[in-house]
Amino acid sequence: MNRLLLILLLPLLLATHGCDREAPVVPSGRVVKIGFIGPQTGSDFVYGEETLQGVMTAHSLQPLLANGDRVEIIQAYSGHDAASAQAAMRGLVDEDGVVAMLLAMDSESLLEVAVFVDTLETPAIALIASHPGVVEGSGYITQLPFDDTTQSTVAVLFMRDELLIKRAAVITDFDDSHSRHLKDTFEQKFTSTGGELTGSHAMTEISDALLRHLEARDTELLYLPLSARGTLQVTSVLGEIGWNPEIITSDGLLASMLGEFPDRVDELEGMYATDLFSDTGEFVKHRRLGRQAEVSFAELFDGQKNTFTGLGVEGYALLVHAMNRCETHTERDCINRQLRSTRDFDGTMSRISIDESGQALRPVYVNTIRDGYLESVVKVY
């Protein structure tokens, strides 16, 4: 290149490069509060602990809003009943003055208080609850995961089209609304596509006699929309009778297993699982948020990131994105509107949109569980 031309172009090139950089945010000195609610004890403590780690990871990356206001995370314990959860939410809104809430509550717990959430007139993101009833009729709850109807439908299409399964059985926890909805959708979709349902049973019925009966009926696959504990009950009996059918489970199972029963993760080896993320495989493409979060999480916490930490990262980042689109960043109604008009937000691994009803539109990953990781098989949009 001509030397004189290079000298003339250099300032222009530097200016153009500088425009690509985000200008640093100057702290305003003001504080905006966001509430976090999740369990801290009991078998579901992993929902609260690990999702909060994800929230704090994202907070470390973006502690300030676009106007310089500092975000403060106020934690509250959800308890194990509806009254405790309602009291925690009321305290966050009325006493702490939060402008939005991040809820690390499972479907069963959140369904019990969904109507109450609307009375607070404060936007809330359901970080892990995937039952469609969580947002049905709600004006203030936004759902971050895909819903149970979507993931169980994908499970059926995968097993029918990819695994060519013709005969399947379902084992369900009838005390859990999440498990029941997955079961109902799975059975309806499976039979409507020509599949034969060889059995539909409650988790309380698990025994060697039941599983031998399903094996005798030439069952090719078991659909297990169960908790980690329930899944282990099934795998224990399968091991005792020496039967090895294909198994497909639902979202968050591996994360729950790693939190509750880390010494028994090997019992999930080779199972298929629908999930919001993958750890390895062809379809793993981390976006900017995902790459930054991986580095920050490793600096802040010990242990392995999982589905719950990923949802915590995305939930906080999505909320800040909505707040930054409001002229007054603390206006609750505006934050709520912006959440429900999210289009193609860059999550950790995929884009996320939210429709006006609060339902998330995002890909479903079908994975196999290998050596304690989720290995991607297919990504369904």
PDB file of all heavy atoms in Angstrom, residues 212 215 237-244:
ATOM      1  N   ARG A 212     -40.221 -56.164  34.858  1.00  0.00           N
ATOM      2  CA  ARG A 212     -40.202 -57.430  34.102  1.00  0.00           C
ATOM      3  C   ARG A 212     -41.433 -57.543  33.198  1.00  0.00           C
ATOM      4  O   ARG A 212     -41.355 -58.054  32.074  1.00  0.00           O
ATOM      5  CB  ARG A 212     -40.151 -58.613  35.063  1.00  0.00           C
ATOM      6  CG  ARG A 212     -38.813 -58.804  35.756  1.00  0.00           C
ATOM      7  CD  ARG A 212     -38.815 -60.045  36.626  1.00  0.00           C
ATOM      8  NE  ARG A 212     -37.644 -60.117  37.474  1.00  0.00           N
ATOM      9  CZ  ARG A 212     -36.440 -60.538  37.091  1.00  0.00           C
ATOM     10  NH1 ARG A 212     -36.264 -60.923  35.831  1.00  0.00           N
ATOM     11  NH2 ARG A 212     -35.428 -60.577  37.929  1.00  0.00           N
ATOM     12  N   GLU A 215     -40.795 -55.360  30.226  1.00  0.00           N
ATOM     13  CA  GLU A 215     -39.822 -56.029  29.352  1.00  0.00           C
ATOM     14  C   GLU A 215     -40.498 -57.137  28.551  1.00  0.00           C
ATOM     15  O   GLU A 215     -40.243 -57.287  27.345  1.00  0.00           O
ATOM     16  CB  GLU A 215     -38.688 -56.607  30.193  1.00  0.00           C
ATOM     17  CG  GLU A 215     -37.607 -57.283  29.364  1.00  0.00           C
ATOM     18  CD  GLU A 215     -36.511 -57.903  30.221  1.00  0.00           C
ATOM     19  OE1 GLU A 215     -36.748 -58.153  31.420  1.00  0.00           O
ATOM     20  OE2 GLU A 215     -35.413 -58.143  29.678  1.00  0.00           O
ATOM     21  N   VAL A 237     -33.575 -50.913  39.931  1.00  0.00           N
ATOM     22  CA  VAL A 237     -34.312 -52.137  39.622  1.00  0.00           C
ATOM     23  C   VAL A 237     -33.902 -52.677  38.255  1.00  0.00           C
ATOM     24  O   VAL A 237     -33.775 -53.900  38.072  1.00  0.00           O
ATOM     25  CB  VAL A 237     -35.834 -51.894  39.689  1.00  0.00           C
ATOM     26  CG1 VAL A 237     -36.596 -53.178  39.333  1.00  0.00           C
ATOM     27  CG2 VAL A 237     -36.243 -51.401  41.076  1.00  0.00           C
ATOM     28  N   LEU A 238     -33.685 -51.784  37.296  1.00  0.00           N
ATOM     29  CA  LEU A 238     -33.232 -52.239  35.973  1.00  0.00           C
ATOM     30  C   LEU A 238     -31.918 -53.010  36.090  1.00  0.00           C
ATOM     31  O   LEU A 238     -31.727 -54.039  35.430  1.00  0.00           O
ATOM     32  CB  LEU A 238     -33.055 -51.038  35.041  1.00  0.00           C
ATOM     33  CG  LEU A 238     -34.325 -50.358  34.528  1.00  0.00           C
ATOM     34  CD1 LEU A 238     -33.978 -49.091  33.755  1.00  0.00           C
ATOM     35  CD2 LEU A 238     -35.151 -51.290  33.656  1.00  0.00           C
ATOM     36  N   GLY A 239     -31.019 -52.514  36.937  1.00  0.00           N
ATOM     37  CA  GLY A 239     -29.753 -53.200  37.130  1.00  0.00           C
ATOM     38  C   GLY A 239     -29.928 -54.570  37.760  1.00  0.00           C
ATOM     39  O   GLY A 239     -29.232 -55.530  37.395  1.00  0.00           O
ATOM     40  N   GLU A 240     -30.876 -54.657  38.683  1.00  0.00           N
ATOM     41  CA  GLU A 240     -31.116 -55.930  39.374  1.00  0.00           C
ATOM     42  C   GLU A 240     -31.651 -57.005  38.426  1.00  0.00           C
ATOM     43  O   GLU A 240     -31.298 -58.177  38.553  1.00  0.00           O
ATOM     44  CB  GLU A 240     -32.104 -55.716  40.524  1.00  0.00           C
ATOM     45  CG  GLU A 240     -31.538 -54.894  41.680  1.00  0.00           C
ATOM     46  CD  GLU A 240     -32.603 -54.544  42.697  1.00  0.00           C
ATOM     47  OE1 GLU A 240     -33.757 -54.999  42.535  1.00  0.00           O
ATOM     48  OE2 GLU A 240     -32.291 -53.798  43.647  1.00  0.00           O
ATOM     49  N   ILE A 241     -32.505 -56.598  37.471  1.00  0.00           N
ATOM     50  CA  ILE A 241     -33.113 -57.599  36.585  1.00  0.00           C
ATOM     51  C   ILE A 241     -32.349 -57.742  35.267  1.00  0.00           C
ATOM     52  O   ILE A 241     -32.680 -58.595  34.443  1.00  0.00           O
ATOM     53  CB  ILE A 241     -34.595 -57.271  36.293  1.00  0.00           C
ATOM     54  CG1 ILE A 241     -34.735 -55.988  35.458  1.00  0.00           C
ATOM     55  CG2 ILE A 241     -35.397 -57.144  37.592  1.00  0.00           C
ATOM     56  CD1 ILE A 241     -36.162 -55.689  35.022  1.00  0.00           C
ATOM     57  N   GLY A 242     -31.330 -56.893  35.063  1.00  0.00           N
ATOM     58  CA  GLY A 242     -30.508 -57.014  33.865  1.00  0.00           C
ATOM     59  C   GLY A 242     -31.177 -56.570  32.580  1.00  0.00           C
ATOM     60  O   GLY A 242     -30.869 -57.080  31.499  1.00  0.00           O
ATOM     61  N   TRP A 243     -32.080 -55.611  32.673  1.00  0.00           N
ATOM     62  CA  TRP A 243     -32.755 -55.102  31.476  1.00  0.00           C
ATOM     63  C   TRP A 243     -32.176 -53.738  31.138  1.00  0.00           C
ATOM     64  O   TRP A 243     -31.996 -52.889  32.020  1.00  0.00           O
ATOM     65  CB  TRP A 243     -34.267 -55.012  31.735  1.00  0.00           C
ATOM     66  CG  TRP A 243     -35.068 -54.560  30.537  1.00  0.00           C
ATOM     67  CD1 TRP A 243     -34.807 -54.789  29.234  1.00  0.00           C
ATOM     68  CD2 TRP A 243     -36.281 -53.786  30.569  1.00  0.00           C
ATOM     69  NE1 TRP A 243     -35.768 -54.217  28.433  1.00  0.00           N
ATOM     70  CE2 TRP A 243     -36.703 -53.604  29.234  1.00  0.00           C
ATOM     71  CE3 TRP A 243     -37.060 -53.260  31.605  1.00  0.00           C
ATOM     72  CZ2 TRP A 243     -37.845 -52.899  28.897  1.00  0.00           C
ATOM     73  CZ3 TRP A 243     -38.208 -52.552  31.272  1.00  0.00           C
ATOM     74  CH2 TRP A 243     -38.601 -52.382  29.929  1.00  0.00           C
ATOM     75  N   ASN A 244     -31.920 -53.487  29.857  1.00  0.00           N
ATOM     76  CA  ASN A 244     -31.272 -52.248  29.434  1.00  0.00           C
ATOM     77  C   ASN A 244     -32.022 -51.594  28.283  1.00  0.00           C
ATOM     78  O   ASN A 244     -31.514 -51.511  27.159  1.00  0.00           O
ATOM     79  CB  ASN A 244     -29.821 -52.529  29.033  1.00  0.00           C
ATOM     80  CG  ASN A 244     -29.035 -51.269  28.790  1.00  0.00           C
ATOM     81  OD1 ASN A 244     -29.242 -50.256  29.445  1.00  0.00           O
ATOM     82  ND2 ASN A 244     -28.113 -51.322  27.830  1.00  0.00           N
TER      83      ASN A 244
END
